[in-house]
Amino acid sequence: MLSLIALVCAVEGMGQVTLEQCKAWARDNYPVIRQYDLVEQSRRLTVENAAKAWLPQVGVSGAASYQSDVTTIPVDIPGVDIPTIGKDQYDVNLTISQQVYDGGAVASAKRMAEAQGDVGRGKVDVAMYDVNRRVDELFFGVLVLDEQIVQVRILMDDLRLSLASVEAMTRAGVANQADVDAVMVEQVRARQRETSLTAQRATYMKMLSTFVGREIGGGDSLVRPAPPVPQDTANRRPELGLYAAQDRLLDSKMKALDVSLRPHVGLFARGGYGNPGLNMLKDDFDAYYKIGVTLTWNFGSLYTRANDRRNIEAERLTVQSEREAFLFNTRLQTQLQSGAVDNLREQIRQDDELITLRKRIREKAELRVANGTETVNEMLRDINAVSDAQLGKRLHEIQLLREMYKIKYLNNF
């Protein structure tokens, strides 16, 4: 018995789809999500390449040349044969070098790669966050249509009762066939409205299914979400994370300017075979080797250092300006949406008053029609007025939720 109850509960819950479920599905389905892996792969490979600068570097070179003249000793010593270097010369060598001190260049390159990776990930975060807005639009669009469909079906029920009442009055001689036809005309209009709304809902559901990557059938119902409750006033939009990552990248660029002024020290070992070898006066092929220390200190970056710093500061000011503009626009939009929320709450309060009044007017109209002091057309007008008032409240409730979720999107709370 318990298993049967559990099965029934499971079947009943199959068609319930929540807003958070749709957002999670959409994020998994959105093509941009694959860029997370690409950003991390690029970051990892760049860091690994930078670290490989500490590995021994091996190079092979070779040369063959013929020159118009060679060095000679301008001394003629009787009985001494002074060798002459050949004009054709050959050399093949293998050089192994090991960096000992790089002035922090490798560490700087790693920091730069990490910062660039953070910027790339921040851009993907911003693109992915926009998925929430698009899901909200589709989800609440379906909820609005659902409320309209519910209300038009309530109207159809009212019209069925009205038709039965008018037919009874026709049989009693109080009404006539024209009155019956007037009610049936309103029924046809209501069915047309229901058909149109159902078709629109099917279109929205198909769009939502495509966006989330899952089939959401026409029989599935979207659960109205609870009003969002902000935990605090802090803005957690991913754009702010992107601006912070851009600042860190600029810090890395600034530190790299200092690194470029430091010397590089290395060790090397070179072995070769050529003619001549190290003995320039020996006209014969010979093997040789060299070991030593290298010092490289390039001061060329001093010429552009001041301009490079100014460029970085200009980029920093640009990022700061963009951040301030983003926060300003977000606060402005939040104030606008807050005003809309307050307005809708007041409209919902007034909707309750309006519905109460419209129902009272309809009840009196039905009595007057029964007494023959009012036409059926006038009663139908009052029935439609009640339906419109009820629909207005339903739509205002969905609009209120939508405006509240817009504020949630603006601040990511």
Side-chain angles (χ1 to χ4, degrees), residues 28-133:
D28 292 339
N29 182 59
Y30 201 52
V32 174
I33 197 171
R34 291 191 287 271
Q35 293 185 19
Y36 280 119
D37 291 336
L38 297 177
V39 168
E40 291 305 318
Q41 182 180 359
S42 177
R43 186 209 305 259
R44 176 177 56 81
L45 293 176
T46 304
V47 170
E48 289 179 359
N49 285 343
K52 289 178 180 178
W54 287 107
L55 297 177
Q57 306 298 309
V58 180
V60 177
S61 65
S65 65
Y66 182 87
Q67 55 199 56
S68 61
D69 199 1
V70 293
T71 303
T72 59
I73 298 177
V75 177
D76 187 9
I77 302 175
V80 178
D81 184 15
I82 299 176
T84 302
I85 305 172
K87 293 183 178 181
D88 55 326
Q89 298 184 3
Y90 308 91
D91 181 64
V92 176
N93 65 75
L94 171 69
T95 302
I96 301 176
S97 60
Q98 173 63 56
Q99 188 167 247
V100 177
Y101 174 72
D102 69 344
V106 171
S108 177
K110 287 183 178 179
R111 285 195 301 268
M112 193 83 71
E114 292 289 351
Q116 288 174 336
D118 289 342
V119 171
R121 186 176 183 86
K123 291 179 179 179
V124 179
D125 287 340
V126 171
M128 289 299 299
Y129 187 70
D130 190 57
V131 170
N132 295 331
R133 177 185 60 81

Side-chain angles (χ1 to χ4, degrees), residues 12 16 28 31 38 47-48 90 142 148 176 202 205 213 234 245 251 257 262 291 345 361 390:
E12 289 179 349
Q16 302 291 314
D28 292 339
L38 297 177
V47 170
E48 289 179 359
Y90 308 91
V142 174
Q148 290 176 310
N176 54 45
M205 291 292 279
D251 290 338
L257 295 180
R262 297 171 186 168
I291 57 174
R345 282 175 174 159
I361 293 172
Q390 291 173 332

Side-chain angles (χ1 to χ4, degrees), residues 13-32:
M14 283 179 63
Q16 302 291 314
V17 180
T18 67
L19 177 60
E20 293 306 317
Q21 282 178 326
C22 288
K23 289 181 178 179
W25 294 337
R27 284 192 291 270
D28 292 339
N29 182 59
Y30 201 52
V32 174

Side-chain angles (χ1 to χ4, degrees), residues 139 274 379:
F139 194 93
M379 181 190 70

Side-chain angles (χ1 to χ4, degrees), residues 216-265:
I216 304 177
D220 294 326
S221 62
L222 303 188
V223 179
R224 181 187 295 193
V229 180
Q231 302 298 322
D232 50 52
T233 58
N235 192 315
R236 298 183 178 85
R237 285 283 292 271
E239 286 86 347
L240 297 177
L242 174 59
Y243 295 139
Q246 290 173 332
D247 275 336
R248 292 193 297 272
L249 177 59
L250 293 174
D251 290 338
S252 299
K253 289 182 177 181
M254 191 68 79
K255 292 178 181 178
L257 295 180
D258 297 331
V259 171
S260 66
L261 292 176
R262 297 171 186 168
H264 290 201
V265 179

